[in-house]
């Protein structure tokens, strides 16, 4: 994690990791099948706080948005992992945790047809916000865009909503909008079924 955070993904090689751990790099293949599996392990470590509750006593909207916030904060703390997490599904990163999330949402009576859109939507918002903010912070351009764009520069310096506050507002809004869309589309499907049977 230290190598990735401080030097980026390209700095991490099997040889370098072996040197840091005082072992032969090749011996790491006894524990990991490939470098991608090491990177997946780093992602799992970074996301250790993003967990499905072990109880159904907490309102699902509350814990789902809280998990999205924790995911976003983990991405902000480890922005070099974002390209790996963009390939989370094919690398099988966190699938067991996502499975638990889907199960608990179903137990808490979230409509089955809305569960995956909710999970995908919140993950997309977290990844998008974290990636964009990391890119802005990494901008070392010398083109003096501030002088060429004074209004944009002024409002960027006058923002009175924190980045975390804005993210949480978007996450809550996404949950509400996805549920409303599900209800609207599901209602139309039910109307079509009834019309077809009449």
């Amino acid at each position: 994690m230290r190598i990735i955070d401080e030097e980026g993904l390209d700095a991490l090689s099997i040889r370098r990791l072996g040197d840091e751990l005082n072992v032969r790099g090749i011996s790491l293949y006894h524990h990991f099948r490939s470098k991608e599996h090491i990177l997946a392990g780093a992602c799992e470590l970074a996301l250790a706080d993003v967990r499905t509750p072990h109880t159904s006593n907490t309102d699902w909207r509350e814990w789902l948005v809280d998990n999205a916030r924790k995911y976003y904060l983990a991405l902000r703390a480890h922005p070099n992992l974002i390209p790996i997490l963009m390939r989370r599904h094919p690398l099988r990163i966190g699938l067991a945790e996502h499975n638990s999330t889907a199960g608990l949402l179903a137990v808490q009576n979230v409509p089955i047809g809305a569960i995956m859109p909710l999970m995908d939507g919140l993950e997309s918002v977290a990844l998008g916000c974290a990636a964009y903010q990391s890119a802005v912070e990494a901008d070392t351009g010398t083109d003096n865009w501030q002088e060429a764009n004074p209004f944009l520069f002024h409002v960027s310096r006058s923002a009175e909503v924190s980045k975390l506050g804005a993210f949480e507002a978007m996450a809550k809004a996404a949950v509400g909008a996805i549920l409303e869309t599900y209800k609207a589309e599901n209602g139309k499907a039910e109307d079509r079924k009834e019309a077809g049977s009449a």
Side-chain angles (χ1 to χ4, degrees):
M1 289 293 292
R2 180 179 55 76
I3 295 169
I4 293 169
D5 286 345
E6 294 176 4
E7 302 176 45
L9 289 172
D10 291 339
L12 184 68
S13 66
I14 298 300
R15 184 175 188 167
R16 170 77 186 279
L17 186 56
D19 290 346
E20 292 282 334
L21 297 171
N22 293 318
V23 298
R24 291 180 58 216
I26 196 74
S27 68
L28 294 173
Y29 288 116
H30 293 293
H31 305 281
F32 297 94
R33 284 184 284 168
S34 68
K35 181 182 172 182
E36 282 202 328
H37 286 88
I38 292 172
L39 294 173
C43 291
E44 296 276 3
L45 184 62
L47 301 177
D49 289 339
V50 185
R51 291 287 172 254
T52 306
H54 295 295
T55 176
S56 59
N57 294 336
T58 306
D59 179 78
W60 69 266
R61 289 171 187 82
E62 186 179 314
W63 68 258
L64 190 63
V65 169
D66 186 55
N67 264 2
R69 181 183 62 80
K70 289 175 183 174
Y71 186 52
Y72 164 77
L73 290 173
L75 294 171
R76 295 289 289 132
H78 307 286
N80 291 332
L81 289 176
I82 292 173
I84 303 301
L85 285 163
M86 295 290 276
R87 297 185 300 124
R88 180 189 64 71
H89 196 276
L91 292 175
R92 305 297 186 247
I93 299 170
L95 287 192
E97 197 62 37
H98 279 243
N99 186 61
S100 296
T101 295
L104 183 55
L105 290 171
V107 165
Q108 291 190 288
N109 296 317
V110 177
I112 295 295
I115 291 175
M116 206 66 229
L118 285 165
M119 292 171 63
D120 285 347
L122 289 176
E123 184 165 9
S124 299
V125 172
L127 280 165
C129 287
Y132 175 75
Q133 289 167 13
S134 295
V136 169
E137 290 170 4
D139 181 7
T140 57
T142 57
D143 60 348
N144 204 6
W145 68 269
Q146 297 93 333
E147 285 184 18
N149 304 278
F151 301 122
L152 184 60
F153 178 66
H154 176 69
V155 298
S156 72
R157 294 290 175 218
S158 304
E160 294 182 353
V161 175
S162 69
K163 289 178 174 44
L164 180 57
F167 171 78
E168 289 175 341
M170 286 185 276
K172 289 174 184 174
V175 168
I178 289 168
L179 282 178
E180 287 302 314
T181 302
Y182 167 79
K183 289 175 186 173
E185 291 180 0
N186 192 52
K188 290 176 184 174
E190 290 300 317
D191 291 344
R192 285 194 295 272
K193 283 180 192 174
E194 288 178 13
S197 63

